[in-house]
Amino acid sequence: MILTVDDLTVAYGSVVAVRNLSFGAEEGKILSLLGPNGAGKTTTLMAIMGMIPIASGAVRLQSRSIAGARTEDTVRAGMTLTPEGRQIFASLTVAENLILGEAGLSGRDGGRWTRKEVLRTFPILSERLNQDAGTLSGGEQQQLAIARSLLSNPKVLLLDEPSLGLAPQVVDLIFSLIVQLCEHGITVVLVEQNAMRSLEIAHHSVVLSAGRKVFDGSASALRSSDDLMKAYLAIQ
Ligand code: ATP
């Protein structure tokens, strides 16, 4: 396992959002983290990135403990989050957004994902380099957000709701890009409201409900079980 989460508990004040959660992500594979609204998916991603404090538990990236580490150190160690809502800089150009993605990486070894390589993977961004990011379509903004994350050359990429609000063809494009990233050896932890699509490309799945793990197994086992899909994901 390249990423292991062991007995993780995260609370917002007295509200426990994630309780005693353990799971592992296998190198070069896609892990689909599913569950209804409020189940604790985003909280899990933010906690393992060090963006919110954890109450207890261990997080390891390539056997190295990163629980409680500063987010920038976690990025340097090889894990990046593309957050929900994309969080690109709308009033800066695409090129400037990419330059910012490269900034703050001093000390990190070079890797495959240079600006040139990123633009080769997301050709639409080459055509938009001098355009303000806020003027891009939703799908283009999502590609920019993922492109920016890739510039830190992550071994593990956490994606929070990458298809949210996108048109169906654009969702297809984003999912095929995720598969491509996986083929390049990146481990992807994917949070998606589109459970069926997510399970089509995922190898493994973990399902949360009210902060607790209720399923941990192969994506195909989850997908082919009507009972599980109905019970946890409200899919008939
Ligand atoms: P969604 O699909 O709606 O984004 P989620 O599975 O990502 O849901 P989280 O956003 O992690 O779930 O929320 C888990 C629980 O923590 C919910 O009960 C939510 O209300 C609570 N929560 C999330 N953020 C905060 C916060 N900043 N302060 C207090 N409670 C929060």
Side-chain angles (χ1 to χ4, degrees), residues 1-4 59-66:
M1 295 290 167
I2 187 165
L3 171 70
T4 48
V59 183
R60 285 190 194 80
L61 184 60
Q62 294 189 303
S63 314
R64 174 175 161 192
S65 172
I66 54 161

Side-chain angles (χ1 to χ4, degrees), residues 90-108:
S91 60
L92 299 183
T93 65
V94 168
E96 287 164 343
N97 268 275
L98 292 175
I99 290 165
L100 281 176
E102 291 168 328
L105 295 173
S106 50
R108 178 118 168 78

Side-chain angles (χ1 to χ4, degrees), residues 12 15 17 35-44 84 161:
Y12 297 101
V15 179
N37 285 344
K41 307 176 297 290
T42 298
T43 298
T44 300
E84 185 181 346
E161 303 276 13

Side-chain angles (χ1 to χ4, degrees), residues 143-224:
Q143 290 178 69
L144 176 58
I146 296 174
R148 236 180 39 179
S149 296
L150 288 174
L151 289 170
S152 68
N153 277 288
K155 296 182 183 78
V156 178
L157 179 63
L158 312 178
L159 291 175
D160 198 358
E161 303 276 13
S163 81
L164 196 68
L166 301 181
Q169 298 104 306
V170 187
V171 173
D172 290 346
L173 172 70
I174 297 292
F175 273 86
S176 69
L177 283 167
I178 294 170
V179 171
Q180 262 187 56
L181 300 182
C182 170
E183 286 165 0
H184 286 307
I186 297 179
T187 305
V188 176
V189 178
L190 175 63
V191 167
E192 257 292 331
Q193 89 289 356
N194 194 337
M196 269 324 249
R197 284 305 299 275
S198 169
L199 291 173
E200 279 166 15
I201 64 166
H203 303 93
H204 198 87
S205 181
V206 168
V207 183
L208 301 181
S209 175
R212 291 176 190 275
K213 185 170 81 174
V214 291
F215 176 84
D216 187 337
S218 76
S220 57
L222 178 57
R223 204 163 43 137
S224 58

Side-chain angles (χ1 to χ4, degrees), residues 5 13 17 19 24 28 34 54 76 119 152 160 170 193 205 210 228:
V5 173
R19 197 182 288 272
L34 296 171
I54 66 174
R76 281 212 182 86
L119 290 174
S152 68
D160 198 358
V170 187
Q193 89 289 356
S205 181
L228 293 174

